[in-house]
Amino acid sequence: MTVRVRFAPSPTGYLHVGGGRTALYNWLFARHHGGAFILRSDDTDAQRSTDEFRADILDSLGWLGIDWDEGIEVGGSHGTYRQSDRFDRYREVAEGFVASGAAYYDAATSDDLKLIRDQATASGSSPVYDGRHQLSIEAAQHRVAAGDPPPIRFAVLRPGETRFEDAVRGEVVFDHANVDDFVILRSDGSPTYHLASTVDDVDYAITHVIRGEDILSSTPKHILITEAMGAERPTYAHLSLLNGPDGKKLSKRHGDTAIRAYRDAGFLPPAVVNFLAILGWSPGDDEEIVSLQDMVERFELGSVSKNPAVFDTTKLEWMNGVYIRQMSPEAFAIELGRLVAGDLGRELSEAETQSLVDLAPLVQERAKLLTEVAPQVRFLFVDELEYDRASWDKVMATPEALAVVEGARSALAGSEWTHQGVEAALRTMLDEQGLSARKGLQPLRVALTGSSVSPPLFESIVAVGRDRALERLAVAKKRIG
Ligand code: GLU
């Protein structure tokens, strides 16, 4: 059997981090087994589906590095892989069910259904619709002819139960006493999620359905439809939901929930992938940093936890820092340079990129996010510094500031232009003035980089170059007054 899995987002929102994890687990499972990963679009809801969300889902998957073998955009032997193009197929299956007795046209009105709910509430039982208002085929045909087609419901056998072995959760049993005769085709001819999703899974020969636990209670319905189609059930795996660090269901209150927000905030795709991968899956040995190749080799549904996973952005930031440190100085400088260039509105020259390469190891050491670092290296690429106000006010108002800035000008005018040369010249100058490095260096940092937060000072000064450094000291002196 060739493994075939799918990710089936509805383009009714940006790709959520939970969706990103579901996509990743499907992808890892397919790659592990040498199977096919399929991307389809569950876009039956024309009102809520938008091109913007469609594009975001594809962009976000692409950014994560998740590719698909069949599906929207790339094609395959099953048409467009968009549900909105398959309404005829869903209707055909629904009508086939009516013909075989697996489903029926139904005349229940919303008042009828409300009455059933009220009675159930009163008697403490579950409000299950049992088909008591079903229509004969002739009566249904009259309604169709009159322009008022009735919906089609699936006939659930009661008493009865549906049982399956979930690859993550173990055995799951649903008593049909709690499963409605559910609508599969609405009166407007549109399929419900249950019908469209299951028909696609059968038609596309999906072997494993890996998806969120929010859908678990729909799975007996999907199994009933699958069997009524005469098809074999896929294996189901329901992934636990994501919680915030406070143990409550992940929501915007906990921070951003769209993958795109993490891209925009400067996270590295491999860090996000690693973070999503270990949200509920354990590669074993308590390891947390896992290469993509290792994930593919080791991924198994059996080692996915059924407990809710905690989405903790502090941990993601830490992990991003780990991945930043794993980058070569060249790769880091290119990524960082791209951000800085965007910010400056111009390309960086080769020499400028080289200055980032030189500083890279020092910056990488402490960085968590590229977007956090970009403003800290901007001083290398501007003619005129913009001073961070708070930094200036804090250190330039001190009595030592002027003396240090003046002393640094003569010290740097004659020093050797290396890290050691610059450092020695400045330390001697501070000694002569009887100032500690802690006090004396901060004004220089602000004068030369514009902020009291910068990469290590001596290397930064070397990177600025002697002429610009002397000029900046002159400007600062004037500004101090
Ligand atoms: N379109 C459904 C969703 O986005 C897919 C669920 C499933 O995988 O069956 O929740």
Side-chain angles (χ1 to χ4, degrees):
M1 176 187 70
T2 320
V3 161
R4 289 174 61 82
V5 293
R6 78 331 185 251
F7 179 54
S10 302
T12 54
Y14 297 121
L15 183 64
H16 188 273
V17 289
R21 181 189 60 162
T22 301
L24 177 63
Y25 282 18
N26 274 284
W27 183 90
L28 287 171
F29 187 74
R31 294 291 169 265
H32 178 87
H33 290 284
F37 174 56
I38 294 149
L39 180 67
R40 83 175 191 231
S41 186
D42 280 14
D43 58 351
T44 53
D45 187 341
Q47 233 101 59
R48 291 174 55 229
S49 300
T50 71
D51 287 339
E52 188 195 353
F53 294 141
R54 264 189 202 99
D56 174 77
I57 292 168
L58 300 184
D59 288 352
S60 297
L61 290 174
W63 180 74
L64 290 169
I66 295 177
D67 57 351
W68 51 100
D69 310 299
E70 268 177 52
I72 42 179
E73 303 250 300
V74 307
S77 49
H78 298 286
T80 63
Y81 296 83
R82 288 175 197 266
Q83 294 191 330
S84 54
D85 291 329
R86 288 172 45 84
F87 278 29
D88 288 347
R89 171 64 181 146
Y90 306 134
R91 171 192 290 280
E92 174 188 54
V93 173
E95 287 175 350
F97 284 176
V98 174
S100 72
Y104 55 83
Y105 290 102
D106 186 53
T109 62
S110 46
D111 284 344
D112 295 332
L113 298 172
K114 181 171 182 306
L115 186 68
I116 292 171
R117 274 198 306 274
D118 291 347
Q119 284 169 345
T121 314
S123 67
S125 56
S126 54
V128 157
Y129 180 65
D130 57 5
R132 66 185 74 166
H133 299 285
Q134 68 177 276
L135 288 168
S136 67
I137 298 211
E138 298 70 43
Q141 274 162 356
H142 275 116
R143 273 187 54 173
V144 172
D148 177 26
I152 297 178
R153 283 182 186 266
F154 194 92
V156 177
L157 291 180
R158 275 177 231 93
E161 62 175 26
T162 296
R163 241 172 227 279
F164 62 97
E165 191 64 26
D166 187 289
V168 170
R169 317 190 60 80
E171 179 165 71
V172 184
V173 185
F174 284 92
D175 186 338
H176 290 184
N178 302 316
V179 182
D180 244 324
D181 279 8
F182 51 100
V183 174
I184 54 176
L185 202 74
R186 299 189 189 90
S187 40
D188 65 4
S190 67
T192 57
Y193 156 65
H194 304 306
L195 182 68
S197 180
T198 312
V199 171
D200 282 7
D201 288 342
V202 169
D203 286 354
Y204 302 170
I206 299 302
T207 58
H208 295 75
V209 171
I210 306 168
R211 61 186 176 191
E213 193 193 297
D214 49 327
I215 297 169
L216 182 63
S217 63
S218 298
T219 298
K221 299 175 180 170
H222 301 181
I223 289 176
L224 292 171
I225 293 176
T226 305
E227 291 181 341
M229 288 177 78
E232 229 173 272
R233 304 173 177 193
T235 299
Y236 290 94
H238 290 91
L239 309 175
S240 67
L241 299 184
L242 301 182
N243 284 346
D246 59 359
K248 302 215 171 86
K249 184 171 181 271
L250 185 68
S251 76
K252 293 232 170 80
R253 279 182 307 114
H254 296 107
D256 287 308
T257 53
I259 293 285
R260 66 189 331 226
Y262 292 89
R263 179 193 61 199
D264 295 347
F267 285 89
L268 301 173
V272 176
V273 165
N274 190 156
F275 178 71
L276 293 175
I278 61 165
L279 280 179
W281 170 66
S282 153
D285 314 332
D286 281 340
E287 267 173 88
E288 298 207 296
I289 304 295
V290 201
S291 72
L292 196 61
Q293 196 188 335
D294 267 0
M295 289 179 209
V296 169
E297 264 166 36
R298 296 200 235 162
F299 188 81
E300 274 172 57
L301 290 171
S303 23
V304 173
S305 165
K306 58 182 175 189
N307 299 322
V310 176
F311 188 91
D312 180 355
T313 45
T314 313
K315 180 155 179 188
L316 173 55
E317 283 181 12
W318 164 79
M319 195 168 269
N320 202 60
V322 173
Y323 276 84
I324 283 182
R325 283 182 276 294
Q326 285 182 2
M327 292 171 94
S328 70
E330 289 75 18
F332 177 76
I334 287 170
E335 285 300 320
L336 184 58
R338 223 195 299 275
L339 279 181
V340 176
D343 188 27
L344 295 172
R346 66 171 177 85
E347 294 296 305
L348 299 189
S349 70
E350 237 171 78
E352 286 176 321
T353 305
Q354 186 55 45
S355 67
L356 280 185
V357 175
D358 294 341
L359 273 185
L362 297 165
V363 177
Q364 283 171 274
E365 198 46 51
R366 301 183 299 174
K368 286 206 197 91
L369 279 176
L370 286 172
T371 42
E372 203 176 73
V373 178
Q376 293 171 15
V377 295
R378 193 185 151 93
F379 70 93
L380 287 170
F381 310 112
V382 293
D383 292 330
E384 252 175 70
L385 274 188
E386 282 162 44
Y387 302 100
D388 170 61
R389 243 204 111 120
S391 301
W392 181 280
D393 291 349
K394 185 157 175 241
V395 302
M396 290 310 206
T398 57
E400 348 11 277
L402 189 60
V404 167
V405 167
E406 281 187 328
R409 275 179 79 192
S410 23
L412 292 183
S415 77
E416 192 195 317
W417 208 251
T418 59
H419 170 178
Q420 288 77 12
V422 165
E423 177 166 4
L426 291 178
R427 287 200 189 279
T428 309
M429 179 275 292
L430 291 179
D431 280 350
E432 281 164 14
Q433 304 211 12
L435 286 172
S436 69
R438 202 175 54 79
K439 271 219 157 131
L441 293 179
Q442 275 307 69
L444 295 181
R445 193 185 296 278
V446 174
L448 290 156
T449 74
S451 166
S452 49
V453 183
S454 80
L457 183 62
F458 305 120
E459 287 90 342
S460 296
I461 295 176
V462 173
V464 164
R466 192 190 314 262
D467 291 347
R468 272 202 303 179
L470 295 179
E471 197 183 300
R472 285 181 186 185
L473 290 168
V475 171
K477 180 185 166 200
K478 217 158 130 209
R479 204 161 182 263
I480 295 171

